[in-house]
Amino acid sequence: MATIGKGKLLTSLAFVSALGGCAASAPVITGLPPVQVTASGETAPVGTGKADAADDPAIWVDPANPNRALIVATDKKAGLHVYDLTGKDIAFTQAGLVNNVDVAGNIIVASDRNDGVNAHLAVFRLDADKPAIVSLGRAAAGAGEAYGLCLKKTALGAPLTAALIVKDGTVRVGTLTVDGTPGFATTWEYKIPTQSEGCVFDGDTLYVGEEDAGVWELKPNGTTATARMVAPVDNQRLVADVEGLATIDHKGQRYLLVSSQGDNAYAVFRLPGVDYVGRFAVAAGAYGATSETDGIEAVAGNFGPAYPDGIFLAQDGDNAPKAQNFKLVSWDQIAAALGL
C-alpha cells in the first residue's frame, strides 16, 4: 500500500506483474485545483521535534479589546502553547497527550488522551495578562480514547457546551462545569461509523469530520441526533483524511472550512446549506506552504495591518528542517482569492 501524509492509506493498487514482478505504486489523489494564497506569519515550532506533534489551534479574542488575539495550540505529545500574533511562543504548560483544543472566554479545554481507555477533558484557565495557562483539572467523559474536541460559542457566563469525539467515532455533547473540580454531563450522543476527529458548532448544529468518509451534520434530537452526510470525500472537494473544521463570518455570511489533508488543501462551504464555494491551498511564500494539515481555526475581526479582516490558522505537518508549527493567513487574502 502507498502511504500519504500521516499514515493515510490510499486504495491499494500495488500488484506483482506476471512479467516483471514489479510493484506498481498507488497514484497520488488530488482534488479540484485550489486557488493559491500565502501565509502572512507562522508560530515558533512546537517543542517536540522530529515527530508528528503539533495538532490543533484555537484563537482567543480579548473580550476587553476585540483587536487583540492570542493563539492556543497543542503539542499532542507534551502540552499546550500560547503564541502571540507574531508567532512568538509566550507560554507553555505540560499536559502530556492532549489532542484538540478550543477556548471559550478565558477557559481552555483540550481532549486528554493520557488515558487511552477512559476519555477526559483537560480544563485550564488562560491568564492572558501574564500570560500563563493554569490547570483547573480533568473532567471524566466516558469510555474510549478522547480525540476531537470543540466548544459551542456562547455568551460570557453561560454554561459551557462541549463536544467530545471519541476516536471510534462516538460523539458526546454535554455541559462542562468548571467551578471547582471540572465535570462533564452528556446531553446527547451519536455514533459515527468510523474514526472521526475534527468538529465545530454552528449554533446547536454540530459538524464532525469522519476521516475516511466526509463531514457529518448532527442536529440534537433528544438524547441522540439526526445525522446526514453533507460533504463526502469525493476526491474533488475533499480528499481523505478529512481533518480540522472551522467556521468564519464574512459580509454577513457564515462559511465552513474543512482541511482536505490528502491533497494539502482546504474546502469552503456556505452555511447553513453546506453549499460548496471553492478550495484554497497555502503555497510556498515567505513562511512556506502548509501540508498534511490536522487542525485549523478561523476568526473574523480586525487584528492589525497584517490581519484586517480576520485570521485563518492551519497546522503545518511538514515544517522541515524545524519541528511542526502553525501558519497564519490573512482572511482577506482567502476571501479575495475565492471571490467571496
Side-chain angles (χ1 to χ4, degrees):
M1 292 187 179
T3 301
I4 294 293
K6 294 188 259 309
K8 171 61 194 168
L9 298 180
L10 298 179
T11 303
S12 179
L13 298 179
F15 64 93
V16 177
S17 167
L19 295 177
C22 297
S25 298
V28 174
I29 299 174
T30 58
L32 297 170
V35 298
Q36 304 292 308
V37 299
T38 57
S40 304
E42 65 179 342
T43 69
V46 296
T48 301
K50 298 182 180 179
D52 174 18
D55 193 81
D56 189 48
I59 299 175
W60 173 83
V61 178
D62 189 342
N65 177 9
N67 302 122
R68 178 188 177 218
L70 297 173
I71 297 165
V72 181
T74 57
D75 177 334
K76 64 185 177 184
K77 299 180 184 298
L80 291 168
H81 291 267
V82 177
Y83 306 94
D84 64 21
L85 294 189
T86 70
K88 182 180 179 181
D89 193 344
I90 56 177
F92 173 77
T93 188
Q94 292 184 346
L97 307 180
V98 285
N99 210 62
N100 283 19
V101 66
D102 208 349
V103 296
N106 68 341
I107 298 298
I108 301 170
V109 184
S111 55
D112 187 321
R113 300 174 67 187
N114 288 290
D115 181 344
V117 176
N118 298 295
H120 291 83
L121 302 180
V123 184
F124 307 84
R125 178 174 53 82
L126 174 64
D127 185 336
D129 293 329
K130 284 188 176 180
I133 305 170
V134 180
S135 175
L136 300 180
R138 300 162 76 216
E145 182 180 352
Y147 208 48
L149 178 283
C150 55
L151 300 176
K152 182 180 176 181
K153 305 307 180 187
T154 55
L156 290 176
L160 290 177
T161 296
L164 172 69
I165 316 298
V166 179
K167 195 170 185 178
D168 70 358
T170 301
V171 179
R172 297 189 186 115
V173 176
T175 301
L176 178 65
T177 55
V178 297
D179 295 329
T181 301
F184 178 76
T186 300
T187 304
W188 61 266
E189 183 172 307
Y190 184 85
K191 177 65 171 69
I192 288 171
T194 64
Q195 183 170 308
S196 306
E197 181 179 5
C199 67
V200 68
F201 280 97
D202 179 37
D204 289 331
T205 300
L206 180 67
Y207 294 98
V208 178
E210 184 181 6
E211 294 187 359
D212 285 341
V215 179
W216 288 87
E217 178 188 82
L218 304 182
K219 293 182 178 291
N221 183 11
T223 58
T224 184
T226 301
R228 68 184 183 115
M229 172 66 71
V230 292
V233 168
D234 56 6
N235 294 331
Q236 297 183 60
R237 301 171 302 173
L238 293 174
V239 178
D241 284 352
V242 170
E243 288 287 342
L245 277 66
T247 60
I248 192 168
D249 294 319
H250 179 76
K251 295 183 178 179
Q253 175 64 58
R254 179 162 295 182
Y255 296 93
L256 172 68
L257 315 177
V258 184
S259 171
S260 175
Q261 187 187 72
D263 69 340
N264 307 324
Y266 311 92
V268 181
F269 302 86
R270 185 181 297 108
L271 295 177
V274 199
D275 304 308
Y276 175 68
V277 172
R279 288 159 41 92
F280 68 94
V282 181
Y287 298 97
T290 60
S291 61
E292 302 173 354
T293 294
D294 283 330
I296 61 174
E297 183 60 289
V299 63
N302 183 349
F303 301 103
Y307 309 102
D309 292 316
I311 301 167
F312 172 75
L313 192 59
Q315 181 259 9
D316 184 9
D318 184 3
N319 188 45
K322 299 178 181 179
Q324 296 176 339
N325 71 347
F326 302 87
K327 299 293 196 287
L328 294 84
V329 183
S330 179
W331 172 252
D332 64 334
Q333 186 186 167
I334 296 170
L338 291 171
L340 302 183

